[in-house]
Amino acid sequence: MWKLKIADGGNNPYIHSTNNFVGRQIWEFDPDYGTPEERAEVEAARENYWKNRFQVRPSSDLLWRMQFLKEKRFRQTIRQVKVENEEEITYETATTAMRRAAHFFSALQASDGHWPAENSGPLFLIPPLVMCLYITGHLKTALPEEYRKEMLRFIYCHQNEDGGWGLHVEGHSNMYCTVLNYICMRILGEGPDGGKDNACSRARKWILGHGGAISIPTWGKAWLSIYLAYLIGQDAIQCPQSFGSFPLFFLYNQTKMWCFFRLVYMPMSYLYGKRFVAPIDPLILQLREEIHTQPYNKINWKKVRHLCAKEDLYFPHLLIQDLVWDGIYIFTEPFLTRWPFNKLRERALEITMKHIHYEDENSRYIEIASVEKVLCMLACWVEDPNGDYFKKHLARLPDYIWIGEDGIKKQNVGSQLWDTSLGLEALLACQLTDEIGPTLRKGHDFLNKSQVRDNPSGDFRSMYRNICKGSWTFSDRDQGWQVSDCTAEGLKCCLLLSVMPPEIVGEKIEPERLYDAINVLFSLQSKNGGVSAWEPAGSARWLELLNPSEMFEDVFIEQQYVECTASAIDAVVLFKKLHPGHRKQEIENFIRKAVQYIEEIQMPDGSWYGNWGVCFTYATWFALRGLTAAGRTYHDCLAVRKGAGFLLKLQLDDGGWGESYLSCKDKKFTPLEGNRSNLVQTAWCLMGLIHSGQAERDPSPLHRAAKLLINSQKEDGDFPQQEVAGASLRSLMIHYPNYRNTYPLWALAEYRQRVPLP
C-alpha cells in the first residue's frame, strides 16, 4: 500500500536541501502498510474512479487524504446544515458550514505545515520520463514494479473513448499524447494488442486513422528523434541548436526567451548537437512499424518536417518561421559538422551544458518544471552516464511522482507553497483563531522556512537569472524559482500573521525579509505597470511569432499577467499599511501603475482573461480583488462596475457559475456543458462580487451563491471534485485538487464576514 512521506530526504548521498526538506512530499510503497479494511477502501476508490472517469475526469486525490484523516483520527463533529428553497441563510448557518469546512481542511495539513496535493493535468509528462529511464537503463530500478503498474493504471484511466489521449485530462484526443502514451505502454510491457480494455490496439487505431505519427507536433518529433531515431539528420526540434553561444544581440538569445521555454530548448539543443539517439533494439524496430501508415524506410522525412495533425495545431507556424528553421538547417548544418566550424558547435555545447548544470544546482535538481527535468536529466546522462550530475537527477525523481485513485501521475511541479498560502488566507478569513490556532502556527512556520534566503549562486545575471532572495516559489524552497504571485500571497499571509498573538501563531518574520520580498515584486513590474511571473518582461512582443511549439500560445517570451499584478497589489497595499515608512514613494508608484495596467487590459464586456485559471471568472475575481485593495470602488471606478456586471449577467439559476476550459483555448467565455455550476468558480465569483460591494447594492446574488456552496458541502466537510480549474499556456489545463476546499471555504468566510446576515 502507498504512503505519503513528508519532509523526508532519505539517506541518498546525492540529494541535499536548503531547509531540511521542508515541503518535500514523496510516495513510498510499503507492502505491509495498511489494514485489510484500508486496502479495501483504496481499491473501492480506484474502482469508483474507473466507473465514473468520463463524468469527472480529474481525480479527487483521495489516497493521501484517506491516509491523513486516519492518522489524525478525524471525525466531523459539527452538524451538517442545509438551506431549504425559501429559507434565508442565517449567520449561524453560514458559520456552521464554514467551521465544518475549516476543520476538515485543517485535518489535511501535513506535519511540516503545508497542504499536500497533486499538481497535474497534462497527459504528456509520464512518457518522456519512461523513455528517458528506458534509454539510460534505469527503468526498473527507478520505477519498481508497483510504480510501473500504477503508471499503466493512470494511462488506462485517461484514455478517451475514441482510443486517444488529450493534451490534458479533459482534452480531445491529439497525436502528441496518443503516440507518446502508446509508446509508453509498450515500454512498460504491454504488447501491441495489450492493455486494459484493448488500450494499445485502440490507441494504434486512433494513430493510424489520423494519418500516423509523422504528423506529431514539434515536441513529439523531438522525443521520437531521440527514442526511435525518427528524423535522422533532421533538426526535429526546429530551434537553432546550442543557442547558448549566440551573440547577445541575436533575437533567439536566452535572455529574450521565457524561462520555461529556455530551459526546454537548452537540453533539446544539446541532445541535437550531440546527435544523440537511443540504441536501436527490437522494441524500437517494432514501434517504427506500428505507428506509421507506410513502411518506416519509405517515409520522406523532409516532406513531413513541418507536418502537424489538425487535432494538435493551436498556434500555426508562419511561413517565415518555417523558412528560418529550414534555412538554418540547410545552410549552417553542412558547416557545423566539419572542421573548423565544428569547433564552434563544440564550444556551443560546452556553454549549453554549463547553463544546464547551473540550473541543476540552483534548483537542487528539481528544475523549474517537469518537462525540463527529464530533458536536463537525459542531457546529463549523455554527457556522462556514470557522473554525479545524472545520479543527483535520479535522486529527485520522487519529487515529481504523485499517486491518486487514478494511478501514478507525474506532476508539473509541486504546488506546496501556492496551495498553502491560499489555504492559510482562507483560514485566516474564518476568524477562528481559538479553534485552529495550531494549524495557523504550523502554516506560519512552513512559510517562514520556505522563503528563499539567497539569490542564485555566483554571477547569476550572466546565467540569465533574476534576483530571488526574499521570494516564495510555487513549490518548495529547494526548487528555488521565484514566482511573483506566490511571493505576493506568501508575503500577505506573513503580514496578516504578524499582527496576531505570537503565542498562538508563532514569532513574526523579521522586517528585513519582508523588505526582500517587496524587492522581488518591484523587480518584476514592467513599465506598463503589469507584473510578470518568473522574470522581468522586456522582450519585443513580435518575438512570440517565432514560437516553435504548435500546441501552445504566448509561451515564447515572459509577459505580464492580471492575476500576478492583482496579487502583488493586494500584498503591497497591506505591506504599506503595516510598514508605512519603507520605500514609500516607490510603493505608491508601484500600486498606481499596477492599477492602471489592470484597468487598461479589461475586456470590453467587463471581464479579464485568465492565464492561470479557468478563465474569465478566475481573472475577474483577481482583478476586482486587486482594484478594491487599492481603494477603487464600484462608485468611483468604471472597471469595478463593468467587472461586477460581467459576473452578475453570468450567474446561473442555481446561484452558481460554471465556465468551460474551452474559454482559455478560444479566448471567449464558454459555459460548462448543460449550464452546470462549478463550486470553485462559484466561490471566485462570489468573492469578486463581495469585493465590488455587491452586499450594499443587492445581496440576493450573494445569498444564492452561498446557498449553493452550503448545500453542496459533503457530510465530512469536504466538497465534491468537479472540472479542472487551473490553466496554463492558453491550451493546457492544470488540476489543483485542493481548490475544491480552499475556495469554497474562503468564499463562505468572506460571505459570513462581509455580508449582513440575520
Side-chain angles (χ1 to χ4, degrees):
M1 189 168 163
W2 293 94
K3 182 177 182 179
L4 182 63
K5 302 177 72 174
I6 300 298
D8 189 314
N11 298 314
N12 194 319
Y14 293 103
I15 189 172
H16 69 283
S17 174
T18 59
N19 65 349
N20 201 27
F21 300 102
V22 168
R24 193 176 194 225
Q25 44 187 29
I26 60 172
W27 286 90
E28 175 183 83
F29 181 76
D30 182 352
D32 300 320
Y33 177 67
T35 65
E37 293 77 14
E38 290 168 347
R39 296 181 187 188
E41 190 177 359
V42 169
E43 289 304 320
R46 289 168 172 163
E47 183 63 24
N48 184 64
Y49 178 82
W50 175 260
K51 289 180 178 179
N52 297 285
R53 66 192 187 281
F54 296 127
Q55 282 70 54
V56 181
R57 299 299 185 106
S59 76
S60 296
D61 203 15
L62 293 178
L63 268 59
W64 76 271
R65 290 168 173 248
M66 291 159 59
Q67 174 191 328
F68 274 35
L69 295 176
K70 284 184 173 63
E71 288 176 349
K72 299 183 181 183
R73 299 180 180 179
F74 174 78
R75 293 290 182 272
Q76 182 61 265
T77 59
I78 305 170
R79 66 181 179 86
Q80 189 169 11
V81 291
K82 297 288 184 181
V83 183
E84 301 301 329
N85 286 340
E86 302 302 324
E87 184 182 358
E88 282 189 336
I89 301 175
T90 65
Y91 184 82
E92 180 183 357
T93 299
T95 300
T96 301
M98 182 197 71
R99 289 181 62 231
R100 296 177 78 251
H103 281 257
F104 178 84
F105 188 58
S106 295
L108 297 176
Q109 188 179 35
S111 56
D112 66 356
H114 87 278
W115 273 268
E118 68 177 77
N119 181 261
S120 63
L123 296 179
F124 54 81
L125 300 180
I126 286 180
L129 172 63
V130 171
M131 288 184 193
C132 176
L133 293 173
Y134 182 82
I135 291 168
T136 61
H138 289 79
L139 180 64
K140 292 186 178 180
T141 54
L143 299 176
E145 181 181 358
E146 288 294 331
Y147 286 77
R148 302 195 301 274
K149 174 183 173 182
E150 291 300 320
M151 283 186 168
L152 283 169
R153 185 196 306 276
F154 180 78
I155 293 171
Y156 302 150
C157 279
H158 293 286
Q159 186 174 26
N160 287 333
E161 292 175 281
D162 63 6
W165 284 265
L167 193 64
H168 52 87
V169 294
E170 292 186 356
H172 67 269
S173 297
N174 69 5
M175 190 64 71
Y176 180 52
C177 290
T178 303
V179 169
L180 289 188
N181 280 285
Y182 178 79
I183 292 172
C184 186
M185 289 191 294
R186 298 285 278 114
I187 294 175
L188 291 174
E190 295 291 5
D193 298 314
K196 189 168 184 176
D197 284 2
N198 301 311
C200 288
S201 59
R202 290 169 57 220
R204 190 170 61 256
K205 181 180 179 181
W206 192 96
I207 294 168
L208 299 178
H210 290 77
I214 58 172
S215 60
I216 197 170
T218 300
W219 282 19
K221 285 181 170 67
W223 273 109
L224 296 189
S225 297
I226 293 166
Y227 180 62
L228 300 181
Y230 181 67
L231 294 177
I232 299 175
Q234 294 287 313
D235 182 0
I237 59 176
Q238 299 187 10
C239 178
Q241 73 86 27
S242 307
F243 56 83
S245 66
F246 279 59
L248 284 175
F249 60 82
F250 187 69
L251 61 86
Y252 232 109
N253 179 260
Q254 296 184 52
T255 59
K256 295 183 179 293
M257 292 178 73
W258 185 41
C259 52
F260 274 77
F261 257 39
R262 179 171 78 236
L263 296 174
V264 165
Y265 283 104
M266 277 199 300
M268 267 193 189
S269 66
Y270 179 83
L271 294 168
Y272 172 76
K274 297 292 284 189
R275 290 299 191 275
F276 174 76
V277 293
I280 306 299
D281 64 13
L283 178 58
I284 289 179
L285 294 176
Q286 292 172 33
L287 285 167
R288 283 181 174 181
E289 301 305 322
E290 291 170 10
I291 61 177
H292 297 300
T293 57
Q294 57 183 306
Y296 176 85
N297 58 6
K298 293 186 178 180
I299 298 174
N300 185 331
W301 296 113
K302 291 185 179 180
K303 282 191 175 181
V304 303
R305 173 180 170 81
H306 301 300
L307 190 63
C308 180
K310 62 181 176 58
E311 293 81 7
D312 299 68
L313 188 60
Y314 180 66
F315 187 82
H317 291 174
L318 296 176
L319 176 61
I320 185 64
Q321 183 182 158
D322 289 340
L323 291 174
V324 167
W325 305 141
D326 287 344
I328 289 173
Y329 175 75
I330 293 169
F331 295 109
T332 67
E333 199 61 21
F335 293 100
L336 291 175
T337 56
R338 293 175 175 83
W339 189 90
F341 300 103
N342 61 351
K343 298 299 181 182
L344 175 62
R345 169 164 283 170
E346 291 175 8
R347 177 58 179 155
L349 290 171
E350 291 176 6
I351 294 174
T352 302
M353 208 63 213
K354 177 183 176 183
H355 280 273
I356 291 172
H357 290 323
Y358 183 85
E359 292 300 330
D360 289 345
E361 288 293 325
N362 279 279
S363 67
R364 272 53 65 181
Y365 291 81
I366 298 173
E367 306 301 331
I368 195 170
S370 183
V371 174
E372 295 81 354
K373 165 69 178 176
V374 174
L375 286 166
C376 288
M377 181 168 69
L378 183 57
C380 288
W381 183 83
V382 170
E383 181 192 38
D384 183 359
N386 299 309
D388 285 353
Y389 293 122
F390 177 68
K391 293 174 182 176
K392 291 178 180 179
H393 266 295
L394 285 175
R396 280 294 191 173
L397 280 183
D399 294 67
Y400 279 96
I401 299 298
W402 193 264
I403 301 169
E405 63 272 25
D406 57 342
I408 280 184
K409 65 281 309 265
K410 188 163 180 273
Q411 301 205 90
N412 307 294
V413 67
S415 56
Q416 298 95 305
L417 190 283
W418 178 246
D419 278 323
T420 299
S421 59
L422 295 177
L424 282 174
E425 287 188 70
L427 290 171
L428 287 165
C430 294
Q431 299 180 340
L432 297 175
T433 306
D434 293 342
E435 298 181 33
I436 59 173
T439 301
L440 299 177
R441 187 183 188 93
K442 285 200 300 181
H444 193 192
D445 185 61
F446 172 75
L447 292 178
N448 182 10
K449 293 176 179 176
S450 297
Q451 188 182 21
V452 177
R453 304 297 179 88
D454 299 293
N455 287 321
S457 62
D459 183 9
F460 60 89
R461 299 289 188 187
S462 69
M463 305 306 285
Y464 315 115
R465 287 292 299 270
N466 189 49
I467 62 170
C468 63
K469 182 181 179 182
S471 70
W472 278 272
T473 71
F474 187 68
S475 54
D476 60 17
R477 179 168 150 187
D478 283 343
Q479 193 254 2
W481 269 91
Q482 71 285 342
V483 189
S484 61
D485 52 358
C486 298
T487 298
E489 303 297 348
L491 173 61
K492 184 181 177 184
C493 282
C494 291
L495 291 169
L496 291 171
L497 289 161
S498 71
V499 298
M500 298 178 69
E503 62 272 16
I504 296 177
V505 300
E507 294 297 328
K508 61 183 180 182
I509 292 179
E510 298 88 344
E512 290 74 16
R513 289 170 54 193
L514 304 179
Y515 301 162
D516 289 337
I518 290 293
N519 196 43
V520 170
L521 293 178
F522 281 5
S523 77
L524 296 174
Q525 187 176 43
S526 302
K527 291 181 180 179
N528 66 0
V531 176
S532 54
W534 287 270
E535 299 177 310
S539 298
R541 192 74 181 88
W542 65 265
L543 286 173
E544 186 64 39
L545 297 175
L546 296 179
N547 167 19
S549 168
E550 304 94 336
M551 300 179 293
F552 311 117
E553 184 181 353
D554 284 343
V555 294
F556 191 70
I557 60 172
E558 178 67 286
Q559 53 192 297
Q560 305 82 21
Y561 306 99
V562 62
E563 303 99 309
C564 297
T565 306
S567 285
I569 291 173
D570 206 18
V572 172
V573 167
L574 181 58
F575 176 87
K576 174 189 171 186
K577 177 181 178 181
L578 298 179
H579 299 268
H582 183 74
R583 300 174 73 170
K584 183 176 181 180
Q585 190 57 52
E586 291 174 84
I587 284 177
E588 293 283 358
N589 291 338
F590 181 95
I591 297 171
R592 175 182 54 78
K593 291 168 59 181
V595 167
Q596 183 178 352
Y597 169 80
I598 291 178
E599 291 175 337
E600 288 177 351
I601 65 166
Q602 188 176 28
M603 308 286 280
D605 65 357
S607 69
W608 285 265
Y609 179 87
N611 296 275
W612 308 113
V614 179
C615 170
F616 295 98
T617 50
Y618 181 72
T620 300
W621 166 59
F622 265 99
L624 292 174
R625 178 188 175 207
L627 290 173
T628 55
R632 299 295 194 270
T633 70
Y634 184 90
H635 302 290
D636 65 15
C637 179
L638 178 61
V640 173
R641 292 196 295 275
K642 290 175 63 179
F646 169 77
L647 296 180
L648 287 171
K649 72 180 180 182
L650 295 176
Q651 190 171 25
L652 300 171
D653 291 341
D654 65 359
W657 284 261
E659 184 175 9
S660 168
Y661 77 88
L662 294 173
S663 293
C664 303
K665 183 173 177 287
D666 299 336
K667 303 174 194 172
K668 62 180 181 179
F669 180 85
T670 305
L672 286 170
E673 187 177 351
N675 279 328
R676 301 190 308 273
S677 287
N678 178 285
L679 298 178
V680 171
Q681 293 165 349
T682 297
W684 294 336
C685 296
L686 173 56
M687 288 191 286
L689 288 173
I690 289 173
H691 283 293
S692 77
Q694 185 66 34
E696 302 169 3
R697 300 186 299 275
D698 174 13
S700 58
L702 309 179
H703 297 320
R704 293 169 56 215
K707 177 181 176 181
L708 177 64
L709 295 179
I710 292 170
N711 287 345
S712 299
Q713 191 175 37
K714 298 170 71 174
E715 187 176 348
D716 59 2
D718 196 1
F719 291 89
Q721 179 62 55
Q722 296 175 303
E723 296 81 8
V724 164
S728 177
L729 313 182
R730 305 280 190 188
S731 57
L732 185 63
M733 302 304 115
I734 309 297
H735 179 34
Y736 294 87
N738 278 352
Y739 277 13
R740 76 172 188 265
N741 300 109
T742 299
Y743 285 114
L745 169 62
W746 197 348
L748 287 174
E750 294 277 359
Y751 173 77
R752 167 184 175 263
Q753 178 185 347
R754 301 177 61 173
V755 179
L757 297 172

